[in-house]
Amino acid sequence: MKRVWLSLLLFLLCLCGTVQAQSKIEGKISDSKDKLKLHNATIMLLTAKDSILTDFTRSNEDGRFSLLQPDTGQYVLIVTYPKYGEYYADILPERDYTNMSIGLTNSATLLQEVIVTGRIPITIKGDTTEYDARSFKVEKNAKVEDLLKVLPGITVDASGKITAQGKTVEKMLVDGEEFFGDDPKLVSRNIRSDMVDKIQVYEKKSDKAEKTGIDDGVRTQTINVKLKEEAKRGIFGKVDAGGGNNKFYLGQGFLNYFDQSFRVSTYLIASNTGKTGLNGQEASSIGGDGDGSGNFEGEGVPKSLNTGFLYSDKTANKKHSWRIDYKYSQSNVDLDRSIFTRNAARDTILISNNNTAASSDNKKHNVGLKYEFKIDSLSDLTVWAGANRRRDISSSRTISNTVNQFDQLVNGNTRDFQNDTKAEQYNASALYVKRFKKKGRSLTINYFTSGSKQDGDQQLYSSLVYYRNGDSVGNTTLDQKKVIDNNTFAVGGELSYSEPLSKKVILAFEYGINFDRNSNSVESLNKNLNTGKYDDKDDVYSNDFLYKTTKNTYNLSINYKPMEKFVLNIANRFENSDLSQLNRADDAHLSRSFFVYNPILDLNYEIKKNRSISVVYRGTNGLPSLNQIQPLRSNLDPLNEYLGNENLKPSYTNELNLNFRSFSILTGEFYGIYINASRTNNALVQNTTIDSVGKTTFIWDNLNNNTNNQISIRPMYYGILWKKYQLRHGGGPAISIGNNYNYVNNVLANAKFQTYSLSYGLQKSSTKGLDFGIEVSPGYVIQDNSIGMMEDSKGFTFSSNGEFKYFLPAKFVLRTDFNYRYQAPTAVYSKKFERLVLSPGLSKKFMKDEKLELTFMINDVLNQNVGFERNQNGTLLTERRFNTIGRYYMVKLSWEINKMLVKSK
């Protein structure tokens, strides 16, 4: 821990030492004829050689401005103001520019004169901020992600998450349309920056608002990448191949061909390095089913194969457009996991150690379709369809033991489990929107259906021994085969109509109906000791249920927009749900009905340009599921049993969200605050009963006379620390406080939690010398429970992650990324947890266009990557440790593919 802090301190001191004194460019701007002071004129400083933007500002109310003058080099100063001609001046080294007087001429007086303009690096057009890509310098063969890092007001963290003007970017489009999915990482990490003409940042309205013309106040921070004309026809992609010690390997290819609207994409990934998909959500964006990364989530060591293709096009008149995709994924994971749990009642503490060795093999085919038909200028139809088929094979062995607070053995269990199941799913939906000539009047019809089928076999063997005072008092052996046959079917639709009552008020009504049918069958067969076959049916743990649900929804909403900057939406949503259950084993029926009201109030107010506030209130009824009313009985875990409750009532949650944001494009500063608070009445909770042999029974119930509460507050700031070095910084504190109730052995337990943290990050984007991004986050966690036998769990936490890159001569690049995590010991966990994962690498680029790159890297050079997770749920404390990918060495060769089919003008 000390060496990390020391290294960070030395790094910051060295960085600060590089800052040198600079002279300034200062002056005042006025109308050349009337001598009026011009407020908010834009002043930009560009390098004379390549017109790269170096600095920019705006004049104050007195028309004055100030910029830092670089020590060396020639620059051009450009001054612009609406309806005035532009001003240009050469800025030479070692000259005094501290008292400039700049007069601009009104364009109305220029008559027939020609105004010669250069490229403007940043322009604001209404709600859209537009960056000229050629005004910002990045290294050769850089991706869009590298370009975004040098744009004022945009940040990209080590994981690839993009923040623009203080809000997380959720959509990234190419020429205004989805491009192999709309996931930001897919576009930012696979499209080259030299293909880009403009970068546009704006808040996109919801699809429903765009189709109906009714502003519902929903906004999505969006980046639109506008390609150069010569880049709209071509082939681009990348091929990687790598091998390392301990049989580690990586092979992947990503290839795209596009010709205006016609686009084809294909990819292939084969790896055992954890690279199971196209960078997080990228593979799911291509396929659209949200399951692109197989079953690997950081636990175990995976081997994966992932491939797919996508085809999209539209007709010349743009009336018809379609997208078809197919994906195949296969993964195998070997896992070793240990779980430490501590469960406390008033007079009993049970401590369990659980060790599991498991392996799994999963294969999946997925196909998807999207079709859009623009019937006319006022109506359109969109159809989605998809289907997938998968097979899951897994096996595991678990050995566990439980002791009490006196270190006396309570039980011991050995469990073997095998699973071989097949599953098929499908879904289809259609959305028709009809807009009328009267603004705000629209008709929307939506239809959807889905279904699934799962069948297979499971094998369970369990040997459970009970102890009292350290002596064995009995045992239970279970040897069963389970036959699974599950089917689901759902169909429904929605009809909505909106009518403007005035220019400021729109009234909308929506009705929906949904039918669900769910058949669950599990046949448990004990092993016949006489025949050795599994033909002795276990009626207790065999299930054959048919669930049916009919839901009617009604929504009356009001959209009030008294001005362009103010939008208020009030929704009144009613739901009537009829649930029925048939136990086909004994012909027993169970039915329940719920009628609930869920109101929503959503207010959005733009105080001024780039400053806004939003307030959202939601009242939500949490309906009990049929599984909570009558769960399927299962003995897969003999020491934990779950029971339902036929008398459950809906819970009700009041939730309030308050968000304030302010961003300045001129200074690159953002600050905001996010507040979320909720209170749940009649919460659906799991009460627990722990018996003398360590078995825990979970029973669903409503929490009466008490409420579960939560509040979180997160202020945030980021800005430019030093413009000369493009050094940005930011962060803020975060506070979360809450409590949750449940009964443990008939005693009310109140589990409280408090988390306090402070995050701070530094980022420098450069194509020469040092390029880095680093974030540190110290924190303190408090978890306690009202039950006396549970000690409070309090402790200091610290995490840090980052990436360093240094550009060396001869096209060499030295880089490393790191992730550090620390958790202090507590009253429950006597040992601290500390982990530093450091992964350095050295790369060399070849060829004139630098499209070929050779990299030598070491993953986890200190060999400290240990899977770890701690959490508390009520009286249950859990610590998980598992194997994951550790140290290995790899040599990787990368080849960039970039062939434009139209020559640049």
Side-chain angles (χ1 to χ4, degrees):
M1 182 71 181
K2 292 182 179 179
R3 66 173 181 266
V4 175
W5 280 108
L6 181 60
S7 300
L8 180 60
L9 180 61
L10 289 174
F11 168 74
L12 293 176
L13 289 174
C14 293
L15 186 65
C16 295
T18 63
V19 180
Q20 302 173 8
Q22 291 178 294
S23 56
K24 292 185 177 181
I25 303 172
E26 297 179 323
K28 61 180 180 180
I29 302 170
S30 60
D31 184 298
S32 60
K33 180 181 180 181
D34 299 327
K35 305 303 179 183
L36 297 174
K37 301 171 183 176
L38 298 182
H39 176 216
N40 267 342
T42 301
I43 304 97
M44 295 170 287
L45 188 66
L46 285 72
T47 57
K49 181 180 179 180
D50 50 18
S51 298
I52 299 300
L53 179 68
T54 300
D55 200 357
F56 68 97
T57 186
R58 281 195 178 179
S59 57
N60 62 18
E61 294 180 355
D62 296 325
R64 294 192 172 275
F65 70 93
S66 178
L67 286 172
L68 292 176
Q69 180 183 353
D71 300 327
T72 59
Q74 296 186 9
Y75 295 83
V76 177
L77 185 74
I78 303 177
V79 180
T80 64
Y81 195 80
K83 298 182 180 180
Y84 279 78
E86 296 172 0
Y87 171 87
Y88 293 81
D90 292 328
I91 303 297
L92 303 176
E94 299 180 0
R95 299 276 185 96
D96 182 19
Y97 298 99
T98 58
N99 190 26
M100 300 183 71
S101 180
I102 299 173
L104 300 184
T105 303
N106 193 301
S107 58
T109 66
L110 293 176
L111 300 177
Q112 302 299 320
E113 294 183 25
V114 177
I115 304 175
V116 180
T117 61
R119 299 184 68 88
I120 307 301
I122 304 174
T123 57
I124 298 177
K125 302 177 179 179
D127 295 331
T128 301
T129 302
E130 185 175 87
Y131 301 86
D132 179 73
R134 280 171 280 190
S135 297
F136 300 90
K137 190 174 182 180
V138 292
E139 65 175 314
K140 207 165 187 177
N141 294 322
K143 297 292 189 293
V144 168
E145 181 177 89
D146 303 301
L147 174 62
L148 296 177
K149 289 180 179 179
V150 301
L151 301 183
I154 300 179
T155 60
V156 184
D157 67 13
S159 68
K161 186 182 78 171
I162 303 168
T163 302
Q165 302 177 2
K167 299 181 70 175
T168 300
V169 174
E170 299 178 29
K171 277 182 176 290
M172 185 171 285
L173 309 176
V174 176
D175 290 330
E177 299 181 3
E178 291 186 6
F179 186 65
F180 308 117
D182 60 359
D183 179 67
K185 293 179 186 177
L186 179 63
V187 178
S188 66
R189 289 180 169 175
N190 289 289
I191 292 183
R192 293 162 56 102
S193 63
D194 57 11
M195 299 168 59
V196 179
D197 181 36
K198 307 283 187 183
I199 295 289
Q200 297 175 326
V201 179
Y202 60 97
E203 290 188 329
K204 186 179 183 297
K205 295 180 180 179
S206 68
D207 292 339
K208 186 175 181 180
E210 290 181 345
K211 289 180 179 295
T212 62
I214 303 173
D215 191 344
D216 54 10
V218 177
R219 298 289 189 273
T220 302
Q221 193 73 348
T222 301
I223 288 180
N224 180 39
V225 179
K226 293 190 68 177
L227 299 180
K228 301 174 183 177
E229 285 301 320
E230 62 267 23
K232 293 181 180 180
R233 289 188 62 213
I235 301 171
F236 76 91
K238 187 178 182 180
V239 177
D240 292 323
N245 67 321
N246 297 327
K247 298 182 180 180
F248 277 97
Y249 63 90
L250 168 65
Q252 66 175 17
F254 188 77
L255 187 64
N256 309 276
Y257 170 79
F258 50 103
D259 183 356
Q260 299 297 329
S261 63
F262 175 76
R263 293 164 180 170
V264 176
S265 172
T266 183
Y267 72 94
L268 171 68
I269 299 173
S271 165
N272 63 350
T273 64
K275 177 74 173 177
T276 59
L278 293 172
N279 296 312
Q281 294 181 342
E282 294 172 357
S284 62
S285 287
I286 286 182
D289 70 342
D291 186 26
S293 57
N295 66 339
F296 180 68
E297 298 179 353
E299 293 193 10
V301 178
K303 294 180 181 178
S304 63
L305 175 66
N306 200 327
T307 185
F309 76 89
L310 178 145
Y311 157 68
S312 66
D313 200 1
K314 61 177 60 177
T315 55
N317 59 9
K318 297 184 179 181
K319 293 194 69 171
H320 303 271
S321 63
W322 54 89
R323 186 177 74 189
I324 302 172
D325 62 80
Y326 166 78
K327 286 197 313 176
Y328 171 76
S329 61
Q330 176 180 336
S331 66
N332 179 272
V333 178
D334 292 321
L335 170 66
D336 291 314
R337 178 177 57 210
S338 63
I339 302 177
F340 167 86
T341 62
R342 179 184 174 93
N343 204 349
R346 181 175 294 278
D347 54 358
T348 304
I349 294 179
L350 296 179
I351 301 169
S352 298
N353 286 284
N354 182 308
N355 295 283
T356 299
S359 66
S360 62
D361 184 72
N362 309 90
K363 298 177 181 178
K364 182 177 180 180
H365 300 265
N366 187 91
V367 62
L369 167 70
K370 180 180 180 181
Y371 168 71
E372 293 183 274
F373 175 34
K374 295 187 180 297
I375 303 170
D376 52 44
S377 61
L378 296 176
S379 58
D380 52 67
L381 173 69
T382 306
V383 177
W384 298 268
N388 66 68
R389 174 182 293 175
R390 65 181 299 158
R391 183 175 183 182
D392 300 307
I393 301 174
S394 63
S395 63
S396 65
R397 162 162 279 208
T398 302
I399 300 175
S400 65
N401 63 74
T402 304
V403 299
N404 58 24
Q405 66 266 34
F406 307 110
D407 202 29
Q408 295 174 331
L409 197 61
V410 175
N411 62 58
N413 182 226
T414 299
R415 184 166 62 98
D416 293 317
F417 180 70
Q418 286 89 35
N419 175 75
D420 185 354
T421 57
K422 298 177 182 178
E424 297 177 352
Q425 293 179 319
Y426 71 89
N427 63 82
S429 61
L431 175 66
Y432 170 77
V433 178
K434 171 67 177 178
R435 298 169 295 277
F436 297 88
K437 292 184 178 180
K438 187 174 183 180
K439 185 178 180 180
R441 180 182 293 169
S442 66
L443 175 68
T444 304
I445 302 174
N446 186 21
Y447 167 83
F448 50 87
T449 183
S450 63
S452 67
K453 176 179 176 58
Q454 181 189 36
D455 58 74
D457 298 331
Q458 295 177 338
Q459 196 80 27
L460 173 65
Y461 177 85
S462 172
S463 177
L464 181 59
V465 183
Y466 305 101
Y467 297 88
R468 182 176 295 119
N469 299 324
D471 298 324
S472 174
V473 293
N475 63 82
T476 302
T477 300
L478 185 65
D479 191 354
Q480 283 188 347
K481 177 182 179 180
K482 297 179 181 291
V483 180
I484 299 172
D485 186 8
N486 299 328
N487 295 274
T488 67
F489 174 75
V491 63
E494 293 178 349
L495 173 68
S496 61
Y497 177 77
S498 62
E499 178 67 27
L501 303 183
S502 67
K503 291 183 177 180
K504 299 178 180 179
V505 181
I506 298 177
L507 186 68
F509 173 76
E510 178 181 302
Y511 169 73
I513 187 168
N514 187 40
F515 302 96
D516 285 296
R517 186 181 187 275
N518 189 340
S519 174
N520 291 93
S521 173
V522 178
E523 187 178 23
S524 296
L525 303 170
N526 291 313
K527 187 175 183 179
N528 190 318
L529 298 180
N530 295 323
T531 64
K533 296 181 180 180
Y534 294 93
D535 54 12
D536 181 15
K537 186 176 180 180
D538 185 342
D539 293 325
V540 175
Y541 292 105
S542 294
N543 304 287
D544 191 2
F545 287 94
L546 176 63
Y547 303 105
K548 291 182 180 180
T549 303
T550 302
K551 180 188 293 186
N552 291 272
T553 60
Y554 313 86
N555 184 25
L556 181 65
S557 61
I558 299 174
N559 177 275
Y560 176 54
K561 193 174 183 179
M563 61 184 75
E564 186 63 30
K565 296 182 178 182
F566 183 92
V567 179
L568 174 64
N569 282 281
I570 301 175
N572 301 276
R573 189 177 183 87
F574 299 88
E575 291 185 6
N576 182 28
S577 299
D578 295 315
L579 292 75
S580 67
Q581 172 189 287
L582 170 63
N583 187 341
R584 287 182 287 211
D586 57 10
D587 202 34
H589 291 262
L590 171 67
S591 61
R592 297 290 304 275
S593 293
F594 300 101
F595 185 79
V596 296
Y597 170 55
N598 298 321
I600 300 176
L601 184 147
D602 189 343
L603 183 150
N604 289 270
Y605 176 56
E606 186 179 296
I607 303 170
K608 57 167 59 175
K609 206 67 174 175
N610 298 323
R611 180 176 297 176
S612 64
I613 187 171
S614 66
V615 180
V616 180
Y617 164 78
R618 288 186 177 89
T620 306
N621 285 270
L623 298 181
S625 67
L626 284 167
N627 196 45
Q628 291 171 324
I629 295 173
Q630 183 66 59
L632 301 176
R633 297 202 64 181
S634 173
N635 57 356
L636 293 180
D637 185 352
L639 292 174
N640 294 280
E641 185 174 11
Y642 299 85
L643 301 179
N645 184 349
E646 297 182 4
N647 298 314
L648 287 177
K649 299 176 294 183
S651 64
Y652 191 81
T653 300
N654 294 281
E655 182 180 5
L656 182 66
N657 288 278
L658 173 63
N659 298 327
F660 171 78
R661 310 177 190 89
S662 179
F663 176 77
S664 172
I665 187 67
L666 298 176
T667 62
E669 287 185 313
F670 165 83
Y671 59 89
I673 184 169
Y674 305 88
I675 301 175
N676 171 270
S678 67
R679 167 169 287 190
T680 302
N681 298 298
N682 289 325
L684 298 169
V685 299
Q686 282 187 319
N687 298 327
T688 62
T689 302
I690 308 171
D691 63 20
S692 60
V693 295
K695 180 179 179 179
T696 303
T697 303
F698 299 89
I699 306 174
W700 285 101
D701 204 351
N702 286 105
L703 180 66
N704 299 317
N705 304 319
N706 293 285
T707 59
N708 289 341
N709 307 283
Q710 178 269 334
I711 184 171
S712 60
I713 304 173
R714 186 189 176 197
M716 182 179 174
Y717 166 84
Y718 76 80
I720 298 176
L721 189 59
W722 288 306
K723 284 187 178 181
K724 177 182 177 181
Y725 298 99
Q726 283 296 302
L727 187 64
R728 307 179 189 185
H729 72 140
I735 301 172
S736 182
I737 302 173
N739 71 288
N740 292 286
Y741 287 93
N742 75 324
Y743 282 88
V744 180
N745 284 1
N746 298 317
V747 178
L748 182 65
N750 183 11
K752 302 176 183 179
F753 64 89
Q754 302 175 52
T755 60
Y756 306 91
S757 64
L758 175 66
S759 63
Y760 179 75
L762 283 172
Q763 184 187 66
K764 180 179 185 294
S765 298
S766 175
T767 59
K768 296 180 180 180
L770 182 65
D771 174 286
F772 72 90
I774 182 174
E775 183 176 8
V776 296
S777 182
Y780 193 77
V781 178
I782 303 174
Q783 295 178 318
D784 60 75
N785 201 287
S786 60
I787 292 182
M789 291 293 288
M790 173 65 73
E791 301 97 332
D792 295 345
S793 178
K794 305 176 183 179
F796 174 74
T797 65
F798 181 84
S799 65
S800 179
N801 63 81
E803 180 183 21
F804 294 88
K805 185 188 300 182
Y806 196 85
F807 295 91
L808 299 168
K811 301 179 182 179
F812 280 95
V813 180
L814 180 66
R815 68 189 74 200
T816 184
D817 59 72
F818 74 93
N819 184 288
Y820 177 76
R821 186 176 177 187
Y822 173 83
Q823 284 189 270
T826 68
V828 176
Y829 302 107
S830 59
K831 295 181 180 180
K832 70 176 181 180
F833 175 79
E834 188 174 18
R835 178 184 66 196
L836 173 61
V837 179
L838 186 66
S839 301
L842 177 66
S843 63
K844 160 73 173 173
K845 294 185 177 180
F846 298 91
M847 303 172 64
K848 185 177 179 180
D849 55 10
E850 300 183 2
K851 290 183 179 181
L852 192 65
E853 184 177 23
L854 182 66
T855 302
F856 172 74
M857 55 87 64
I858 307 175
N859 184 75
D860 186 22
V861 65
L862 303 177
N863 204 27
Q864 293 189 12
N865 191 22
V866 177
F868 177 82
E869 184 180 278
R870 280 181 185 171
N871 61 69
Q872 177 176 349
N873 182 15
T875 61
L876 182 66
L877 296 175
T878 305
E879 179 180 278
R880 297 159 55 90
R881 293 177 183 263
F882 46 87
N883 69 320
T884 188
I885 299 170
R887 179 168 56 198
Y888 66 85
Y889 310 87
M890 178 170 285
V891 177
K892 183 176 70 173
L893 189 65
S894 302
W895 177 41
E896 293 277 354
I897 303 170
N898 185 23
K899 177 67 175 178
M900 295 299 107
L901 303 180
V902 177
K903 293 183 179 180
S904 177
K905 297 181 181 179

